[in-house]
Amino acid sequence: MEKFYIATAIDYVNGPPHIGHAYEKIASDVIFRHYEQRGIPAFFLTGSDEHGIKIQKAASEKGISPQDFCDDIAGKFIKEWKLFDIKYSRYIRTTEAEHKRVVRHIFKTLIERGDIYKASYNGLYCTGCECFLSERELDDDGNCPSHKTKPQEVREENYFFRLSKYKERIQEHIKANPGFILPDYRANEVLNQLKDAEDISVSRSRNSVSWGIPVPDDDSQVIYVWIDALSNYLTGIGYLSNNELYEKFWPTDCHMIGKDILKFHSIYWIAILMAMEIPLPKTIVAHGWITIDQSKMSKSLGNVIAPGDILGAFGLEVPDALRYFLMTTTTFGNDGNYSDEEFKNKVNADLANNLGNLLNRSLSMLVKYFDGNVSPEAVTVAENNNLAALSDKTKREVIENMDKYQPYQAAESIINLVDSANRYINEQAPWTLAKNEETQLQCAQVLYNVLEALRYVSVLIYPYIPNIAQNMREQLGFDDRVSDFMLSDLQWGGLKPGRIASKDSVKPVFLRLDSELAGDKKKNAN
Ligand code: MSP
């Protein structure tokens, strides 16, 4: 792989960030950081979707201009992603002048090519989805199945995109490219939706929606949010503005989006790119949803959780524990659940007991028995060393799983390595070996093996828990940044002889969470 371009969905700014938005951004961040560790030039785009009725309404309810409203909420997203160490390369906002130029260019080109045409329209519009729904898509009460609200009947003269022209090509593309849509079973869902795909309305009358990009040469119409929103993936990578960047990174390698917006990405977006004769993305990954205490998050249930509030409630200074929890709560693609209990139990078990304790007790033994020194004789070689073989296997598994966009499985492999190192230290019992002169060397070697496996763990787990990983690396006697360490340099024997630890340097990397702290965290994210 020569380059890696990952893009998340861009979030509506009609409300502040919640834990579902964070889930997607964290998953993308983990994958992005992993590719950086492989020395692959990588670009990570995220941002906000700022036009449309939803936002227009939210702003007018607050009595402020839509732009001021967007500035305020986009600022909240940016702040939240900083708190969560989301290392994006660019944060795009659809209200940027550069983006508006791209959208108008696309729209104009498609009109010129005859792929966008004007016709009158009669349809049912759901403001929640910002899209038209067909009668078939409604539930038994005639409501939008996602928002449980009656769609609005709209009769307008609109511009239409000739989606029907591309549906066969899209079908062929999906069939010819396994892995284009992940998880695999979602590809069938898309193929089914394609069967009844018709031309789609891509504009709205300015009388019904004023907050949007005007149609080129027709001010009475505003470009429909999805064409506007989807084009962010081009603007964000320099299309029409930074050719060098665009040439280097296009097409998108991974679109990381929620299952609810798969249709827009795997049908509409692909058709638009086909019509524009722009190369298609490599993979579209549809992740599942995060529920709260097994219920869907919703304003009406009052269970919308702001991710930062969880950190505050548990007294966490860094986001690592929540990042780790979200990435390991479910297989990628399935829905996952957040509850205080599950969060606390999982991170206490994996990060405090399993990982943190192992590092802490092996370093403490190194200090106690060898004054913190790794002696040259203790350095073990990889051959005939089970822990070394397992560490290398874990590295391979992490790479394989990340290539399949499975951060859950990759994390599972890393935790397996920690489990094995724990079993190994218990079996070898260095505390007994330390008692006799003749088994001193063996004791030093056992500690070496465990610490070396933990050095692997610190590098492999870094994309998930960057702060804890850095702390682990420092405690293992390194003064460099774990983020700069390349996976290709991760070979057995990297732990260097010499004094790496002292009584003062050994500290827990993660303190157990106390449930009493959780308090009143579920402030409505609004
Ligand atoms: N603005 C559109 C996306 C345009 S992309 C060109 C949008 N915005 S959104 O704010 O509603 O959702 C942004 C992303 O967050 C989507 O991928 C969506 O699936 C995801 N999630 C929203 N709620 C979620 C959960 N509860 N759990 C996990 N992800 C969820 O759709």
Side-chain angles (χ1 to χ4, degrees):
M1 196 184 275
E2 287 161 14
K3 60 89 191 178
F4 182 70
Y5 172 27
I6 184 165
T8 70
I10 49 171
D11 304 312
Y12 287 130
V13 290
N14 56 326
H18 58 59
I19 194 166
H21 298 131
Y23 177 63
E24 179 176 286
K25 284 26 176 203
I26 293 168
S28 307
D29 187 63
V30 168
I31 294 167
F32 169 74
R33 286 175 188 257
H34 168 82
Y35 280 101
E36 280 196 323
Q37 288 187 304
R38 282 161 68 177
I40 296 167
F43 195 96
F44 172 13
L45 183 71
T46 192
S48 42
D49 190 354
E50 307 191 354
H51 291 126
I53 310 179
K54 252 202 254 215
I55 289 149
Q56 190 180 315
K57 267 195 184 156
S60 90
E61 275 162 21
K62 265 200 138 183
I64 57 174
S65 77
Q67 189 62 61
D68 285 349
F69 182 82
C70 291
D71 291 349
D72 176 42
I73 308 272
K76 291 192 168 131
F77 272 89
I78 291 170
K79 211 167 139 203
E80 199 78 354
W81 299 157
K82 192 160 192 276
L83 184 65
F84 276 82
D85 288 327
I86 307 297
K87 207 179 164 210
Y88 55 76
S89 317
R90 175 168 177 182
Y91 188 92
I92 183 159
R93 298 183 53 189
T94 53
T95 47
E96 288 170 27
E98 190 185 324
H99 177 67
K100 292 183 196 165
R101 193 162 73 89
V102 168
V103 174
R104 287 164 69 90
H105 166 81
I106 293 175
F107 208 92
K108 206 171 169 149
T109 310
L110 296 180
I111 291 181
E112 283 160 9
R113 294 187 178 171
D115 278 332
I116 285 184
Y117 60 93
K118 208 169 183 182
S120 70
Y121 191 64
N122 220 344
L124 297 168
Y125 196 82
C126 170
T127 312
C129 301
E130 292 282 16
C131 75
F132 285 96
L133 298 173
S134 66
E135 299 270 0
R136 272 194 312 274
E137 287 171 301
L138 306 182
D139 67 14
D140 294 344
D141 303 324
N143 289 334
C144 159
S146 310
H147 296 92
K148 304 285 172 220
T149 48
K150 277 230 173 330
Q152 204 191 332
E153 208 171 327
V154 171
R155 264 168 221 277
E156 280 178 9
E157 170 110 302
N158 282 169
Y159 286 88
F160 279 76
F161 172 63
R162 236 178 262 288
L163 179 66
S164 53
K165 180 173 155 191
Y166 295 97
K167 72 187 205 189
E168 273 159 26
R169 261 180 75 193
I170 301 175
Q171 275 162 348
E172 282 160 23
H173 186 82
I174 294 174
K175 287 183 189 153
N177 293 280
F180 175 59
I181 295 171
L182 290 177
D184 297 327
Y185 60 84
R186 296 256 177 226
N188 284 333
E189 201 178 290
V190 174
L191 287 171
N192 278 333
Q193 286 169 338
L194 265 167
K195 281 186 199 145
D196 355 276
E198 291 164 5
D199 292 356
I200 49 167
S201 159
V202 286
S203 74
R204 297 293 313 274
S205 134
R206 194 187 256 297
N207 296 333
S208 45
V209 192
S210 59
W211 184 236
I213 305 174
V215 165
D217 307 318
D218 184 353
D219 269 359
S220 70
Q221 294 272 316
V222 161
I223 298 172
Y224 161 68
V225 287
W226 278 95
I227 283 228
D228 170 358
L230 291 162
S231 310
N232 93 83
Y233 303 127
L234 284 165
T235 316
I237 205 70
Y239 181 71
L240 299 191
S241 65
N242 182 343
N243 205 38
E244 200 184 322
L245 185 75
Y246 176 73
E247 290 294 328
K248 182 169 175 187
F249 284 106
W250 189 262
T252 320
D253 294 278
C254 175
H255 277 298
M256 178 62 71
I257 53 149
K259 59 182 185 180
D260 55 318
I261 55 172
L262 179 59
K263 176 173 88 178
F264 300 102
H265 285 78
S266 55
I267 302 181
Y268 296 9
W269 180 225
I270 300 308
I272 293 168
L273 290 172
M274 283 175 169
M276 290 295 292
E277 295 175 7
I278 292 176
L280 304 183
K282 298 274 187 283
T283 305
I284 302 166
V285 182
H287 62 73
W289 273 43
I290 296 293
T291 53
I292 304 295
D293 299 325
Q294 308 298 340
S295 316
K296 195 175 166 188
M297 245 187 301
S298 81
K299 279 190 196 171
S300 50
L301 284 177
N303 65 350
V304 180
I305 298 190
D309 286 351
I310 298 177
L311 303 189
F314 282 99
L316 290 162
E317 279 168 18
V318 292
D320 296 36
L322 190 53
R323 286 174 63 106
Y324 178 80
F325 174 77
L326 289 175
M327 287 305 98
T328 53
T329 177
T330 184
T331 314
F332 217 62
N334 293 347
D335 289 348
N337 184 55
Y338 174 87
S339 73
D340 290 343
E341 267 317 284
E342 285 169 68
F343 172 52
K344 192 188 67 180
N345 292 342
K346 176 84 178 156
V347 298
N348 281 349
D350 287 5
L351 300 180
N353 298 356
N354 204 356
L355 176 65
N357 242 343
L358 181 63
L359 180 71
N360 200 264
R361 64 184 177 139
S362 24
L363 282 173
S364 299
M365 282 188 263
L366 192 75
V367 170
K368 190 166 169 196
Y369 307 139
F370 304 101
D371 195 26
N373 278 290
V374 170
S375 82
E377 297 87 68
V379 175
T380 63
V381 289
E383 289 82 41
N384 306 323
N385 184 332
N386 289 341
L387 219 44
L390 189 65
S391 299
D392 283 326
K393 181 165 170 261
T394 306
K395 174 177 146 180
R396 286 196 301 277
E397 284 174 355
V398 167
I399 292 174
E400 278 164 25
N401 283 310
M402 288 292 191
D403 280 343
K404 289 192 257 171
Y405 305 117
Q406 280 291 3
Y408 170 88
Q409 267 91 337
E412 201 171 44
S413 296
I414 305 170
I415 291 300
N416 274 342
L417 175 59
V418 180
D419 282 338
S420 301
N422 260 313
R423 272 197 303 275
Y424 170 82
I425 203 167
N426 289 341
E427 280 158 19
Q428 299 293 321
W431 47 91
T432 309
L433 298 172
K435 285 183 189 149
N436 300 318
E437 194 64 38
E438 2 18 306
T439 48
Q440 285 271 321
L441 178 60
Q442 206 187 329
C443 173
Q445 287 174 335
V446 168
L447 290 179
Y448 184 91
N449 287 341
V450 173
L451 293 170
E452 182 57 351
L454 283 169
R455 186 181 67 87
Y456 267 66
V457 169
S458 69
V459 174
L460 295 173
I461 210 163
Y462 147 79
Y464 300 81
I465 49 172
N467 302 286
I468 294 178
Q470 179 62 32
N471 191 341
M472 287 176 73
R473 187 154 175 89
E474 284 164 18
Q475 295 211 33
L476 288 166
F478 296 91
D479 56 10
D480 56 356
R481 305 292 309 165
V482 66
S483 52
D484 296 337
F485 193 87
M486 292 290 119
L487 283 187
S488 53
D489 293 330
L490 190 59
Q491 312 285 348
W492 191 262
L495 194 69
K496 294 286 176 248
R499 187 151 194 254
I500 65 165
S502 67
K503 214 167 169 211
D504 294 337
S505 74
V506 184
K507 294 193 184 82
V509 286
F510 183 73
L511 292 172
R512 283 176 64 82
L513 296 186
D514 177 357
S515 57
E516 303 307 313
L517 279 171
D520 172 30
K521 167 190 73 294
K522 276 176 209 153
K523 284 179 213 140
N524 193 315
N526 301 303

